[in-house]
Structure formats: C-alpha cells, structure tokens
Amino acid sequence: MDRIVVLSGAGLSAESGLGTFRDMGGIWTRYDLSEVATPEGFAADPAKVHDFYNARRANMAGAAPNAAHDALARLSGRADVTLVTQNIDDLLERAGASGVIHMHGELSRALCHACRARWDAPASMAPGDPCPACAAPATRPDVVWFGEVPYHMERIEAALADADLFVSIGTSGQVYPAAGFVEMARLSGARTLELNLEASGGRFDEVREGPATEVVPTWVAGLIGDASA
Ligand code: NAD
Ligand code: APR
C-alpha cells in the first residue's frame, strides 16, 4: 500500500458535537483567541484560559467517536500510515487508533511549564495547581497556542517527505504550519486528496465533498475493504 499521511482538523470531530473554529458559530466567533489560545492570554488571565479548556474537556468527555474516527482507527497502526491531527480531543484514541500525532497537543494532558513534566489532566484545572513532579504552581493544559511551536514537526516533515499520498480531512487550512503540509507533500511527489464538507480552497489533486462520517469511511473502505460490512 502507498505510504500515506493523513492530516485532520476540527471537521473530523464536528459530527461528534465538538465545535469547529471558523465555521458559522465556530469557537473563534464566540471567544477571542488572543485571550484563550495564546501564552499572553494565559499570563494575563489564567483562570479564564483554564475555564475555556475545562469546558472543552467536559464537552470532550460527553462526546463519542463518529464513523470517521472509527474508519481512521482501522488505518492506524499500519506501518505505511501516519495519522497527524490538529485536534486536541481524544476521539481517535477512543475509536481505537494508536500512535496519533497531536501537533497541537492534547486536552486530556497537562503540562508544567517549569519542569516540562506531563501527566493526565484532571477534569478541571485551576491557576496555581501544583505540578505533581516539581510542585511548582506552573501547570497549564498541554495544548499548543498561537505563536508557540507545534509538537512532533520533525516526525511529520519526515513522513511528508516520504509520502505517496497526503489526505487532508476537515480542516480549513488557515493555520500554519499545518496549512503548508499539502504543498510539502506535493513537492515530495505525493498525490493529494481533500475530504471536507466543502473544499477549503487548498491546492489538492482531488477533493471529495461531504460530511466526514460519509466521505472518510468510503475512502478507507476503498483502500482496505469495508471491515464494518
Ligand atoms: P497563525 O498566524 O499561523 O494562524 C492564525 C490564524 O488563525 C489566521 O490565519 C486566522 O485564520 C486565524 N485567526 C487569527 N486571529 C483570529 C481571530 N481573532 N479569530 C478567528 N481566527 C483568527 O498563528 P500563529 O500565531 O502563527 O501560531 C501558529 C502556531 O500556533 C502554530 O504552531 C499552530 O500549530 C499553533 N496553534 C495552536 C492552536 C491551538 O489551539 N492548539 C491554535 C492556533 C495555532
Ligand atoms: N465533515 C467534514 N468537514 C467538516 C465538517 C464535517 N461534518 N464540518 C466542518 N468541516 C470542515 C469545514 O469545512 C472547515 O474546512 O472543517 C473545517 C473546520 O475548519 P476550522 O474551524 O478552521 O478548524 P481547523 O482547520 O481544525 O483549525 C486549525 O486552528 O484555531 C486553531 O488549533 C486550532 O487546530 C485548530 C487550527
């Protein structure tokens, strides 16, 4: 099988009830990202940032993986497939996927910005929570904010350089460096495919429009057969 890199965005989890960011009613139409998704916002008002992520963590706990997560989980674990996501939810893991690369971090994890320790986040975090490793009151959600460097970029760039096929699922392609992956894949000679509710406008060889719960399982079944049949 081809060496495949799959990038997913908020559209993958939309039908599980988790909000997207820039669609109608999206998260960034209801919150000012500079206040809740930047280091400056966290420094200015850590309680507001923790409240924002505590609410999203509660939404995530109440959500369930959808058919698109289930389909990608059937692909995961294969040596020739690299699953990269911009999403900070755990729905791919709850669908059974393993080895998912969360380039924007994970809502289910916490980080100490004093000693860089990471651990499973509690349901609710608050300013001054002590780090379980160094006791410093320096804990935050393990989420990459605007202006910060995304995680695992070397692994992602190596996979893109080696890819035969790049598939973008449910992302508007507005935020770099993820927005540049399609071009990096093309320069490596990969074919490029977008699966999205509507074309994002990025330069793809092929676009299949439709809800992720329809277009993703159909694509995966075409690739490896329909395990759900
Ligand atoms: P960027 O400039 O690459 O992206 C900013 C994008 O966000 C813009 O293109 C615009 O589409 C959108 N945007 C900016 N202000 C907005 C607003 N007020 N309302 C709605 N949309 C708005 O971002 P950057 O500052 O260069 O940071 C990029 C880095 O941050 C990357 O490493 C990225 O992975 C990371 N990041 C993480 C998160 C997260 O929530 N985990 C969010 C954004 C970016
Ligand atoms: N099925 C497939 N795609 C969908 C669906 C659906 N049911 N619903 C929405 N979409 C698509 C939209 O067409 C859009 O292209 O999901 C995309 C959502 O785009 P954004 O809201 O911009 O989310 P995303 O691309 O993931 O944002 C990237 O920006 O704010 C940061 O860190 C945040 O990781 C996020 C990054």
Side-chain angles (χ1 to χ4, degrees):
M1 193 168 92
D2 283 340
R3 292 181 299 271
I4 301 173
V5 176
V6 179
L7 170 70
S8 55
L12 177 69
S13 300
E15 290 160 271
S16 293
L18 298 188
T20 60
F21 293 91
R22 298 173 186 87
D23 289 324
M24 185 80 70
I27 294 170
W28 297 145
T29 64
R30 291 178 283 119
Y31 292 89
D32 179 343
L33 68 78
S34 64
E35 293 180 357
V36 294
T38 64
E40 296 78 13
F42 186 66
D45 190 344
K48 174 182 285 188
V49 176
H50 278 306
D51 288 349
F52 174 68
Y53 287 100
N54 290 341
R56 290 181 65 189
R57 204 174 290 111
N59 286 344
M60 179 175 75
N66 63 50
H69 296 107
D70 296 339
L72 291 184
R74 289 202 294 275
L75 275 188
S76 90
R78 296 173 71 113
D80 41 14
V81 175
T82 304
L83 294 181
V84 182
T85 189
Q86 298 171 94
N87 296 344
I88 58 178
D89 66 58
D90 61 357
L91 295 182
L92 277 168
E93 285 79 359
R94 284 160 58 192
S98 57
V100 178
I101 299 177
H102 285 268
M103 63 180 289
H104 285 172
E106 297 177 80
L107 195 50
S108 61
R109 302 283 284 168
L111 169 70
C112 172
H113 58 75
C115 73
R116 307 305 291 176
R118 285 181 172 80
W119 62 96
D120 289 342
S124 183
M125 296 183 73
D129 285 350
C131 166
C134 74
T139 55
R140 58 174 273 186
D142 188 16
V143 167
V144 177
W145 286 325
F146 283 100
E148 295 184 323
V149 178
Y151 293 157
H152 312 299
M153 280 307 293
E154 285 184 17
R155 280 177 65 196
I156 297 169
E157 287 165 358
L160 289 168
D162 202 29
D164 301 303
L165 175 63
F166 173 73
V167 184
S168 174
I169 298 173
T171 178
S172 63
Q174 290 291 303
V175 174
Y176 284 86
F181 290 174
V182 59
E183 207 49 40
M184 290 168 73
R186 172 194 316 286
L187 290 174
S188 306
R191 303 185 313 281
T192 58
L193 167 65
E194 178 173 44
L195 307 178
N196 199 315
L197 197 58
E198 55 194 28
S200 65
R203 283 183 57 214
F204 291 90
D205 297 322
E206 181 187 358
V207 178
R208 298 182 192 176
E209 290 190 345
T213 53
E214 291 176 17
V215 293
V216 176
T218 302
W219 170 65
V220 170
L223 208 59
I224 62 172
D226 185 357
S228 62

